[in-house]
Amino acid sequence: MTGVNSTLPEAARRVAGDALQGTLVDLLGISLIGKQAHWNIVGPRFRSIHLQLDEVVSTARSYADTVAERSSALGLPPDGRPETIAAAYTLPGPKEGWIRDTEVVQLVVDTLGAAVERLRERITATAEPDPVTQDLLIGITGELEKQRWMFDAENWPRDE
């Protein structure tokens, strides 16, 4: 049963739907990872990173809503159920317990970097079938890259 009729051909809808659902899983997972790190961060930069994590969480949740609404507009019910996220989420996540501030920063850099790589693949996949979805994914990628850069700058200079 489709609640909404889409203007996209079925094949294009499938491609866009796969890209949107994968992005929804990643974004909801990022928001959960961000909160877990937010609650468990320790170290001298606790406060600044604690607050910066809220920005990532807010961004991920806001874009998750936009992605889910795009999916709905295409007549594809988005699936953000906890069991779906738990089964499908494969980006880096935090260890259990307290997490040192430098480890939190590296975790966020790695997680956002992996998410951006996937988004770039989805951008390529949706270019022809659905440029509107592609445009949405481009905007999300730009914002996640900005957040990644801001966290990456937290660990400079590096001991290399």
Side-chain angles (χ1 to χ4, degrees), residues 64-116:
D65 190 52
T66 302
V67 165
E69 288 174 352
R70 175 69 185 152
S71 184
S72 293
L74 295 177
L76 302 164
D79 190 353
R81 295 173 300 151
E83 60 269 24
T84 300
I85 305 310
Y89 186 80
T90 59
L91 295 174
K95 64 182 185 180
E96 184 179 342
W98 305 116
I99 312 168
R100 183 101 181 130
D101 53 3
T102 53
E103 292 176 41
V104 168
V105 168
Q106 193 58 55
L107 169 66
V108 174
V109 168
D110 293 346
T111 301
L112 293 178
V116 164

Side-chain angles (χ1 to χ4, degrees), residues 93-155:
K95 64 182 185 180
E96 184 179 342
W98 305 116
I99 312 168
R100 183 101 181 130
D101 53 3
T102 53
E103 292 176 41
V104 168
V105 168
Q106 193 58 55
L107 169 66
V108 174
V109 168
D110 293 346
T111 301
L112 293 178
V116 164
E117 284 181 33
R118 287 191 211 191
L119 277 162
R120 290 189 175 280
E121 292 170 6
R122 294 171 186 144
I123 287 167
T124 300
T126 56
E128 187 176 325
D130 186 15
V132 175
T133 294
Q134 181 196 42
D135 184 58
L136 172 60
L137 299 177
I138 289 168
I140 295 168
T141 301
E143 183 58 33
L144 294 186
E145 284 179 329
K146 182 179 96 176
Q147 293 289 338
R148 184 193 172 281
W149 155 65
M150 291 176 151
F151 272 89
D152 198 29
E154 286 281 346
N155 276 347

